[in-house]
């Protein structure tokens, strides 16, 4: 008898954090907490799976989940891997990215957790074979708004804590220079500019960073979907580029790969694990490298770890560099000296801890 979806719940968490600098703005408002929208799926046999939907605008995603995704998914077979594709198509004119897809992504991640638990195997075993036991983790420094002292001090702090790769969320050459001066020549530095420039302004800004040897410059162009301009910038500067956290679906990633973008960054909490795995596989067949977007802390983070375990090319996992009031999976999936072990228990790994659920609900 098949095991079906009996209930789908959304649980929003808000976790205070310290990144040793004034809080950055997100959507024009100071970001005071790291938010996480958990998706809990209860199956007809009583088993529970946990997913995570993208945190940005989570209130809208929670509504999409409760009003549409949950009622449409109840009664469906947990092991039916076409659920995401079917619901995406059914709801396609509700938006080709945004809350409905994020809610579906959270459901999809929870269903993979359940499938692993039902089969008694880790999710990486459902994707293929585990190709490594641990992965490197890179410190993804949160934006310091170009403040050089914060950049230097926190680059040094990340190195002291054992990280061997640094990503900045900065837009100035001075910030990149300051981080490079702190790391010395051997440490990879990535520079995430979050769509900083219109195409005509991007060349000078990116070319000026080249002397500091960035492993990649991320999303230098606004709008994010101007793939032709990204490809032209890559050719003109010779600087490796990364993009994809704002792209949805396999076709957009094929366009990025065809444009010569070196590093593709699908997000599990926006695309779901099913699509993220497919995007990753196709990206690496085409010669690009898949480096998933992963600045989140819940089951989406675990889902990304399983993808990194099973995919061809070995890459580092993104981790927002901050102290959290409660670190999810701190004892079960700890980051130690800049690397993390792949979970080997059935499903995605550990459940969200009780303390987290009890104390940090929105
Ligand atoms: Mg980014």
């Amino acid at each position: 008898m098949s095991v079906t979806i009996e209930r789908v719940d959304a649980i929003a968490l808000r976790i205070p954090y310290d990144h040793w600098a004034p809080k950055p703005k997100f959507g024009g408002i100071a970001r005071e907490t790291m938010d996480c929208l958990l998706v809990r799926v209860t199956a007809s046999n009583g088993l529970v799976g946990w997913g995570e939907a993208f945190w940005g605008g989570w209130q809208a995603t929670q509504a999409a989940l409760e009003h549409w995704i949950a009622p449409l998914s109840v009664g469906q077979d947990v092991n039916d891997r076409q659920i995401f594709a079917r619901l995406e198509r059914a709801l396609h004119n509700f938006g080709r990215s945004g809350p409905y897809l994020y809610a579906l992504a959270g459901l999809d991640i929870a269903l993979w957790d359940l499938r692993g638990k039902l089969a008694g195997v880790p999710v990486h075993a459902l994707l293929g074979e585990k190709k490594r036991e641990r992965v490197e983790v890179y410190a993804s420094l949160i934006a310091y708004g170009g403040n050089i002292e914060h950049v230097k001090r926190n680059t040094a702090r990340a190195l002291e804590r054992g990280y061997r790769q640094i990503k900045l969320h900065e837009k100035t050459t001075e910030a990149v220079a300051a981080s490079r001066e702190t790391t010395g020549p051997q440490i990879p530095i990535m520079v995430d500019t979050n769509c900083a420039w219109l195409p005509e302004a991007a060349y000078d800004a990116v070319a000026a960073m080249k002397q500091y040897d960035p492993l990649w410059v991320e999303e230098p162009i606004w709008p994010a979907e101007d793939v032709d301009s990204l490809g032209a910038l890559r050719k003109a500067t010779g600087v490796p580029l990364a993009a994809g956290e704002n792209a949805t679906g396999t076709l957009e990633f094929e366009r990025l790969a065809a444009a010569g973008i070196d590093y593709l960054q699908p997000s599990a909490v926006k695309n779901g694990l099913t699509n993220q795995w497919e995007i990753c596989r196709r990206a690496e067949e085409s010669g690009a490298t898949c480096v998933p977007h992963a600045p989140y802390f819940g089951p989406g983070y675990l889902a990304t770890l399983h993808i990194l375990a099973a995919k061809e090319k070995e890459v580092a996992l993104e981790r927002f560099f901050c102290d959290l009031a409660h670190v999810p999976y701190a004892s079960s999936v700890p980051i130690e000296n800049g690397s993390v072990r792949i979970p080997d228990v059935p499903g995605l790994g550990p459940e969200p801890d009780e303390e987290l659920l009890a104390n940090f609900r929105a």
Side-chain angles (χ1 to χ4, degrees), residues 127-144:
L127 299 176
E129 58 166 0
K130 185 173 64 170
K131 300 199 170 54
R132 47 200 68 90
E133 295 298 325
R134 302 187 71 90
V135 293
E136 285 270 319
V137 180
Y138 72 79
S140 190
L141 275 56
I142 300 168
Y144 305 118

Side-chain angles (χ1 to χ4, degrees), residues 167 169 192 194 218-219 245 265 293 318:
K167 186 162 92 180
H169 284 85
D192 190 348
N194 291 113
E218 181 168 332
E219 289 200 307
E245 71 177 79
Q265 302 177 292
H293 173 252
E318 178 171 23

